[in-house]
Amino acid sequence: METELQRIYTEKLPESPSFEMILVEGGTFQMGGDDKEAEDDEQPIHLVQLSSFYIGKYPVTQGLYEAIMGVNPSEFKELNHPVENISWEDAQEFISQLNQKTGKRYRLPSEAEWEFAARGGIYSEGYLYAGSDRLKDVGWYRENNEPRGTKSVGQLLENELGIHDLSGNVYEWCEDDYHDSYQEAPTDGSAWIDHPKRGQSRVLRGGYWLDYARPCRVFSHDRYSPDIRYFSVGFRLVLP
């Protein structure tokens, strides 16, 4: 039986911005695309059961990244914007440095954890985007993003769990290797990693500031090479 956990956990570090982690209570959900725009790599829909975890209220900001790493690689430099121009490998190095400073076990979310959180976890109301069926209310994307570029985190509405910016603003890395379907995907919420040799691409979720609406859906599924850096890509933390 899981012990009772606080709903919001705040990490406070010396000489670094504090950041909040939101509790996602464990539960089950049907993972995958179930709307008319669903792609083959969003299927088959399959039941996943997850344990509780914490996920960042916001994507990692430039202020936090710079405080830990000493550099800010972002194209659109504002400390309260999501950090971008971040490869999957860069995200892993940041997490390694953060864990050394905190003594904790922060990591990237598994794809299943990301989707469960974006859907609102056990409090899901079945929205197409993370917190609404109206993307303009919850996400920065092509139709509401002027001037072009990232936006400060937390300006738009939160989802059912109190998490912001899961749809739009920046794509977010997940731990998983990319697969072109969910056939044989894990059902326990863990990351789907190819062993003994990892795949050539990692999973991205959430869409970004110049996307159309489809990639911002809670079950949309994309990929990049783990060494690529682009002004559309950032990441979010999970704490088991």
Side-chain angles (χ1 to χ4, degrees):
M1 178 181 296
E2 293 180 333
T3 59
E4 185 175 349
L5 300 171
Q6 61 193 91
R7 193 181 74 81
I8 301 176
Y9 171 76
T10 302
E11 185 70 73
K12 298 179 180 179
L13 292 168
E15 301 180 1
S16 173
S18 63
F19 58 93
E20 292 181 327
M21 304 291 291
I22 303 293
L23 176 65
V24 182
E25 298 171 59
T28 60
F29 79 111
Q30 295 285 349
M31 181 175 175
D34 57 3
D35 68 331
K36 64 182 180 181
E37 294 187 295
E39 301 280 356
D40 290 344
D41 65 358
E42 299 167 18
Q43 298 176 337
I45 294 172
H46 56 290
L47 185 69
V48 178
Q49 181 170 359
L50 302 95
S51 299
S52 298
F53 60 95
Y54 285 95
I55 193 167
K57 184 176 183 178
Y58 309 115
V60 171
T61 63
Q62 295 176 32
L64 177 58
Y65 190 90
E66 186 171 345
I68 299 299
M69 301 299 290
V71 296
N72 181 1
S74 302
E75 179 81 12
F76 304 100
K77 283 187 167 57
E78 291 288 346
L79 293 181
N80 202 42
H81 285 213
V83 69
E84 25 84 6
N85 267 336
I86 294 295
S87 70
W88 184 90
E89 293 167 350
D90 294 335
Q92 297 290 357
E93 179 59 27
F94 170 90
I95 290 168
S96 176
Q97 295 292 330
L98 179 65
N99 287 343
Q100 288 182 35
K101 292 179 181 294
T102 62
K104 301 213 172 58
R105 295 181 294 120
Y106 287 102
R107 57 172 172 78
L108 291 177
S110 71
E111 186 176 16
E113 289 170 335
W114 193 99
E115 184 173 321
F116 187 55
R119 287 174 176 263
I122 62 174
Y123 304 102
S124 177
E125 297 184 27
Y127 293 128
L128 188 60
Y129 310 104
S132 177
D133 286 328
R134 178 182 159 91
L135 181 53
K136 291 181 180 181
D137 292 341
V138 295
W140 297 109
Y141 75 119
R142 176 178 290 268
E143 298 300 322
N144 67 345
N145 185 11
E146 291 290 348
R148 297 301 195 195
T150 60
K151 296 293 184 287
S152 293
V153 299
Q155 290 192 72
L156 301 179
L157 296 179
E158 63 193 21
N159 79 346
E160 299 95 318
L161 293 171
I163 308 168
H164 291 263
D165 297 290
L166 285 157
S167 291
N169 215 352
V170 290
Y171 267 115
E172 298 179 10
W173 289 112
C174 292
E175 180 63 34
D176 307 55
D177 293 327
Y178 173 81
H179 299 84
D180 59 10
S181 86
Y182 288 136
Q183 198 70 42
E184 301 182 359
T187 59
D188 62 356
S190 62
W192 192 2
I193 297 172
D194 294 329
H195 294 292
K197 182 178 180 180
R198 297 210 62 167
Q200 295 182 347
S201 300
R202 304 289 184 270
V203 170
L204 290 170
R205 285 298 196 119
Y208 81 109
W209 51 267
L210 195 57
D211 261 329
Y212 292 99
R214 195 199 70 78
C216 300
R217 293 148 52 251
V218 291
F219 25 75
S220 187
H221 178 80
D222 214 327
R223 68 190 187 274
Y224 274 155
S225 170
D227 60 353
I228 197 169
R229 298 183 179 96
Y230 202 54
F231 58 47
S232 64
V233 180
F235 66 106
R236 188 180 302 255
L237 298 169
V238 155
L239 183 65

